Amino acid sequence: MEFYTMLEFDIFTKNWAYIFMGVAVITMLGWWLFLTGQDEE
Amino acid sequence: MNRRKFLGAMGVAGLGVAGAEKVLAAEDGVTGASVKDVKGLPDSYAVLFDVTRCIGCRQCEDACNYEQHLPEPDVDFFDTGVFQQIRRTDWKTYTVVNQYDDKPPGAGDLYRKIQCMHCLEPACAHSCFVKAFAKRHDGAVTYDPNVCVGCRYCMMACPFNIPAYEYHIALDPLVTKCTFCEHRLKDDREPACVEICPTGAMYFSTREEVLKEARVRVVNNPDKYQSHIYGEHEMGGTNWIYISGVPFEDVGMRMDLGTRAAGDYTSGALGGVPLIASFWPVLLVGAYAISKRREKIAKEERDSFVSQIIAEAGPEAGRRLAERLSRSETLDKAAIEEEVRKALNEAAAKTEREDH
Amino acid sequence: MSNHNHHDTGQSPWITPFNVIAGLIVLMGIYLTYLRFTGGLAAVTNLDDYYPWGIWISFDLLCGVALAAGGYTTAAACYIFGIKKYHAAVRPAVLTAFLGYALVVFALHYDVGQPWRLAYPIFVQQGTTSVLFEVGLCVFLYLTVLFLEWLPAPLEWLKLKRVRNIVIKLTLVLTVFGVILSTMHQSSLGALYLILPSKMHPLWFSSHLPIYFFVSSMFAGLSMVIFESTLSHRYYHNKMDKEHLEGTPHVTFGFAKAAAWIMAGYFFIKLFGVVLNDNWGYLPTFYGFIFSLEMLGFVALPAFLYAKGVRDKNVKLIKWTAVLAVFGIIFNRFNVSLVAYNYHLPSELKYFPALAEIGVTIFVVTVGLILFKLISTRMPIFYEHPDFKGSH
């Protein structure tokens, strides 16, 4: 990517940051279920 | 700064976009960005406003009103009565000329024109949650009325108090501000206010050329000008540049704004947001797991005591004890032992009574 | 307490002081709504180009969100940290938070210029560089979470057992997600002011503003739960079951202790704002007086009174301290958003809310009270539904 202003840089990076935040939260949930899936009650 | 640079490097390297021109931030006057890989806008259009040349004729206000199809002014543009008070931009005025007291007295009145400074890194654009503002590569900071929600955070954010609002409109009020005559910039023409100025108080060119011209005037006339070029670095730099013969505070310009772009102040906080999103689950679910585990251990201890009681004092005492324990909130060992002792005593007393 | 029972005995007449006053306020609200959407913001507010944000932001948004923090603090204490004694307090706290956030969004419809575009930042064009985008997204998501956390109450009321049991299974996930979202937007409300350093008085401006807002939201929420439980016990005592009544002292003392502890930490992080920015010189000024009043009168004092109340087992003192702490939060949010903001402007350019503006805020709060009354007198809020006892 080419950035002419910091604003352009921020828009680009923050867009991805929000997408990956969603990915992170959902992955963490799935990961916890996987991690504890074989636990005995 | 290190963190930003690191993030910048990550952004570029991670996406495999090499070769972004390295421009040192804020040192060459073309960018207010603190990220290294930002090119800046040296070829963007800019205007130099020379306070020493403005005579307060207000023709620029008139030209702006005509060019932008703004409503009739409350007071005629030839009326100098408006100078009695300091005015600001509002919904029907994109630019204003104010009069300031002559200093020293007798040196002649001072005038300064206000309009959008067209920041290199605009606070309004950075703060807008629908991206209604854009910084165009020709220098103009523009506004898209089709998405504006009317939250007015841009007005909060602007360090120059430029954006205004149509508070009197019931259903579709908009933010208003100087457009740098973007329709004219597209044809490489100067803004209407610059064109009409009879004293040449405004000089229109690329930002690089404008800064050069400002330096030439200041360096060649050290007695006439303050040795500061306003807008070169203020709030990360602007596309409207001012030079003045008197201290800038005397013509209503704040000298304490600093050189950091507005967006730079929030990047730290916004950078913390993904951290919360990704690490809070670790801490919170961790705390949950610990409390669950503690509960489990307490339950196991309780159960083992209960079975001990059943063995020693019979099933009835065990049942009553288990019931009482399950109602109890205190699961620590001392309390359990206390309950056990009580139950044992009761059982012993009961056996004694039955024996007699 | 028993002499208050006649308020809610079912056959209570329509003409009660509450209904009359609330009815009049609602009528006023409808009239002000008409004025707002026919005459524009200028018809009902004193907002101008220097003050684009008035009390609808200071009180309805900033205070509203902070005081609704009881939802995430109570749910976290009960479900994440496993303090089961607080279980009975969760439902009233979640209901309050849900109504609180719903009313924040309702109030914003008056404040923004084009309210039908309120969802634009989420669905049309995302201004991700804006702190306000982060606030908007989190409030939207958290309102959804709070709705789901509250949902078991109406589902039990409607006897929809199967759906209710599915929603109950989500409790932990919702609680964790709720705390994440709350951390993010409670702090971001403070971060809103980071972009305008030149307009903020240095005593209230700090790069730690988001941390101040988040930490203060914790004891704001705790204090609000204590304060509310005082009111609820006064008017809904007969609605409460044994678990609720027995749990209340645990909540009062436990929350007061937690609030006192957090406030002490808050006092010091605020103090470091003065230390790190060398703001000592501002203290002997008018703004310094306001700042000191906030710090000593509305943080240090309630912290101490909470501690005293906990040590002396003095419920009454704790309840009054909760009122003081709630006022302290309101004082702080107003100081940041109206006193510190534009501190350099001459006094004739400063803002003071219009009567109609205050009227709309009173209307919004009243709508909240009416909804709380309607819901809590019908649905299982202060008691466990007999069909679902112990199944949480």
Side-chain angles (χ1 to χ4, degrees):
Chain A
M1 279 296 289
E2 279 195 325
F3 305 111
Y4 284 87
T5 60
M6 192 177 81
L7 178 66
E8 291 173 5
F9 175 86
D10 280 355
I11 290 171
F12 179 81
T13 52
K14 295 293 190 294
N15 279 350
W16 282 110
Y18 274 102
I19 291 167
F20 279 110
M21 266 188 257
V23 171
V25 168
I26 292 164
T27 308
M28 290 299 276
L29 176 64
W31 184 241
W32 177 253
L33 293 175
F34 174 71
L35 189 64
T36 58
Q38 297 296 314
D39 287 5
E40 288 152 31
E41 263 308 302
Chain B
M1 285 304 162
N2 277 334
R3 198 190 55 77
R4 288 209 62 86
K5 284 178 182 165
F6 172 67
L7 283 178
M10 288 281 285
V12 173
L15 292 148
V17 186
E21 201 181 305
K22 304 280 175 190
V23 176
L24 282 176
E27 277 163 28
D28 51 4
V30 296
T31 169
S34 49
V35 178
K36 265 178 110 181
D37 309 295
V38 167
K39 292 180 152 191
L41 300 168
D43 298 326
S44 61
Y45 286 118
V47 172
L48 174 66
F49 183 89
D50 190 332
V51 176
T52 65
R53 295 187 186 185
C54 180
I55 56 165
C57 68
R58 297 183 66 214
Q59 288 190 53
C60 50
E61 289 187 39
D62 196 352
C64 176
N65 178 281
Y66 179 80
E67 184 74 25
Q68 300 286 347
H69 311 290
L70 295 173
E72 283 284 303
D74 299 329
V75 184
D76 193 276
F77 286 115
F78 296 103
D79 192 338
T80 53
V82 294
F83 289 137
Q84 292 307 309
Q85 52 189 350
I86 298 293
R87 297 171 300 147
R88 60 157 289 161
T89 52
D90 59 32
W91 67 276
K92 50 173 152 174
T93 329
Y94 293 175
T95 186
V96 163
V97 177
N98 278 316
Q99 188 187 65
Y100 297 88
D101 291 343
D102 48 345
K103 282 179 188 168
D109 284 328
L110 295 163
Y111 300 93
R112 180 177 69 93
K113 179 178 178 294
I114 298 172
Q115 75 295 307
C116 175
M117 298 289 278
H118 296 278
C119 301
L120 288 173
E121 301 293 346
C124 53
H126 219 278
S127 63
C128 181
F129 70 164
V130 281
K131 268 195 298 191
F133 290 94
K135 176 69 178 176
R136 288 160 47 91
H137 290 177
D138 62 11
V141 176
T142 56
Y143 167 74
D144 176 4
N146 297 313
V147 289
C148 178
V149 180
C151 72
R152 306 186 296 284
Y153 190 29
C154 50
M155 298 167 67
M156 292 291 289
C158 178
F160 302 105
N161 286 321
I162 294 303
Y165 203 61
E166 296 175 321
Y167 288 107
H168 59 290
I169 292 178
L171 296 178
D172 52 355
L174 295 171
V175 169
T176 60
K177 79 167 199 58
C178 157
T179 66
F180 212 154
C181 286
E182 60 164 316
H183 57 290
R184 294 170 62 114
L185 285 195
K186 279 175 190 161
D187 304 332
D188 298 310
R189 290 170 67 212
E190 72 270 60
C193 56
V194 177
E195 185 181 54
I196 203 161
C197 182
T199 63
M202 284 173 274
Y203 167 70
F204 173 79
S205 187
T206 65
R207 191 166 190 273
E208 221 167 18
E209 287 300 313
V210 157
L211 284 173
K212 256 184 219 161
E213 174 65 22
R215 284 195 192 100
V216 166
R217 288 190 202 174
V218 170
V219 169
N220 290 347
N221 307 280
D223 298 333
K224 189 178 171 191
Y225 289 104
Q226 296 286 310
S227 60
H228 181 79
I229 297 172
Y230 197 102
E232 183 174 11
H233 298 306
E234 268 75 14
M235 294 305 290
T238 59
N239 278 61
W240 276 66
I241 306 289
Y242 286 70
I243 50 174
S244 168
V246 297
F248 286 93
E249 288 98 336
D250 292 348
V251 285
M253 301 178 84
R254 290 184 68 171
M255 288 294 283
D256 59 349
L257 295 179
T259 56
R260 283 172 70 189
D264 216 25
Y265 288 91
T266 52
S267 60
L270 278 176
V273 170
L275 243 80
I276 298 171
S278 44
F279 206 70
W280 245 220
V282 175
L283 297 181
L284 295 171
V285 178
Y288 166 77
I290 291 168
S291 79
K292 266 276 151 197
R293 178 160 173 74
R294 209 173 269 156
E295 253 175 53
K296 196 180 159 205
I297 291 169
K299 189 177 178 296
E300 277 166 8
E301 281 179 359
R302 198 166 63 194
D303 290 350
S304 87
F305 276 112
V306 170
S307 47
Q308 188 191 329
I309 296 299
I310 291 171
E312 291 179 17
E316 176 61 14
R319 191 190 60 75
R320 276 189 289 117
L321 175 65
E323 199 175 81
R324 196 182 303 162
L325 283 176
S326 71
R327 268 189 277 124
S328 160
E329 281 289 345
T330 45
L331 295 174
D332 56 302
K333 214 169 170 180
I336 290 173
E337 279 167 356
E338 169 71 21
E339 289 287 335
V340 169
R341 209 180 46 247
K342 265 197 281 175
L344 282 175
N345 287 345
E346 267 176 41
K350 203 179 164 200
T351 334
E352 229 171 82
R353 257 183 278 121
E354 280 165 2
D355 287 350
H356 288 288
Chain C
M1 296 258 171
S2 57
N3 57 333
H4 292 285
N5 284 358
H6 65 268
H7 280 287
D8 299 289
T9 39
Q11 311 94 316
S12 55
W14 271 97
I15 310 292
T16 63
F18 177 87
N19 287 356
V20 171
I21 295 167
L24 288 175
I25 292 174
V26 168
L27 285 178
M28 171 194 75
I30 292 167
Y31 176 62
L32 292 175
T33 307
Y34 167 77
L35 286 184
R36 156 68 184 88
F37 289 103
T38 51
L41 285 160
V44 282
T45 73
N46 279 346
L47 297 175
D48 61 28
D49 292 331
Y50 283 113
Y51 279 92
W53 286 2
I55 58 159
W56 291 349
I57 297 296
S58 298
F59 187 83
D60 302 15
L61 176 65
L62 298 183
C63 295
V65 168
L67 297 176
Y72 86 85
T73 48
T74 313
C78 178
Y79 296 124
I80 294 177
F81 299 104
I83 310 174
K84 298 270 160 60
K85 285 181 286 188
Y86 299 157
H87 185 253
V90 172
R91 278 214 179 164
V94 165
L95 173 62
T96 312
F98 172 53
L99 290 177
Y101 276 85
L103 289 166
V104 165
V105 176
F106 176 63
L108 285 177
H109 283 77
Y110 288 79
D111 187 74
V112 303
Q114 305 200 33
W116 38 89
R117 291 181 176 177
L118 209 52
Y120 273 30
I122 295 166
F123 297 112
V124 176
Q125 190 157 284
Q126 296 77 16
T128 47
T129 60
S130 171
V131 179
L132 197 59
F133 172 78
E134 207 261 345
V135 171
L137 183 65
C138 284
V139 168
F140 167 73
L141 290 173
Y142 189 46
L143 187 60
T144 314
V145 166
L146 280 169
F147 173 73
L148 292 172
E149 284 188 299
W150 166 74
L151 203 53
L155 290 176
E156 287 171 14
W157 181 57
L158 296 166
K159 301 203 179 356
L160 295 168
K161 198 164 185 168
R162 193 173 301 177
V163 194
R164 179 258 182 209
N165 288 343
I166 295 169
V167 180
I168 287 285
K169 281 210 178 74
L170 296 173
T171 303
L172 181 66
V173 175
L174 289 174
T175 307
V176 172
F177 199 38
V179 177
I180 295 170
L181 290 168
S182 293
T183 312
M184 285 174 18
H185 72 264
Q186 293 282 4
S187 58
S188 289
L189 285 175
L192 284 175
Y193 292 86
L194 288 179
I195 203 167
L196 39 135
S198 61
K199 294 181 178 180
M200 297 292 288
H201 192 280
L203 277 173
W204 284 274
F205 182 83
S206 156
S207 56
H208 296 148
L209 257 178
I211 298 170
Y212 298 162
F213 267 56
F214 174 60
V215 173
S216 56
S217 84
M218 288 191 243
F219 63 77
L222 297 171
S223 301
M224 200 62 192
V225 170
I226 299 174
F227 171 61
E228 255 188 68
S229 108
T230 312
L231 292 182
S232 314
H233 275 265
R234 202 166 162 161
Y235 296 110
Y236 303 126
H237 195 80
N238 58 335
K239 292 261 166 212
M240 294 171 178
D241 66 2
K242 199 155 156 275
E243 193 208 346
H244 195 100
L245 292 171
E246 282 177 355
T248 302
H250 289 300
V251 173
T252 308
F253 289 117
F255 278 28
K257 196 188 271 178
W261 186 235
I262 298 168
M263 285 166 112
Y266 176 72
F267 184 88
F268 283 112
I269 60 168
K270 287 274 281 184
L271 181 68
F272 281 111
V274 179
V275 174
L276 292 170
N277 297 308
D278 192 26
N279 284 339
W280 299 106
Y282 294 109
L283 290 180
T285 65
F286 167 72
Y287 287 99
F289 169 72
I290 302 282
F291 182 80
S292 308
L293 181 65
E294 182 191 318
M295 293 299 293
L296 299 174
F298 290 101
V299 182
L301 180 63
F304 171 73
L305 293 177
Y306 268 144
K308 186 137 181 56
V310 169
R311 287 170 58 96
D312 300 349
K313 301 266 178 291
N314 186 342
V315 175
K316 201 168 178 187
L317 178 62
I318 289 175
K319 284 173 175 175
W320 281 108
T321 306
V323 177
L324 181 65
V326 167
F327 273 111
I329 287 295
I330 297 172
F331 191 51
N332 169 258
R333 298 306 194 254
F334 271 76
N335 281 343
V336 170
S337 60
L338 289 174
V339 175
Y341 173 72
N342 272 348
Y343 73 103
H344 60 283
L345 278 193
S347 54
E348 68 269 18
L349 289 178
K350 293 210 175 182
Y351 156 92
F352 195 83
L355 272 180
E357 222 171 329
I358 301 170
V360 169
T361 291
I362 292 173
F363 165 62
V364 171
V365 174
T366 307
V367 170
L369 288 176
I370 293 170
L371 290 174
F372 188 89
K373 192 173 147 87
L374 283 177
I375 293 170
S376 63
T377 50
R378 280 163 182 76
M379 296 179 193
I381 301 296
F382 294 114
Y383 59 92
E384 280 190 276
H385 195 286
D387 298 353
F388 301 94
K389 242 184 161 29
S391 61
H392 295 281

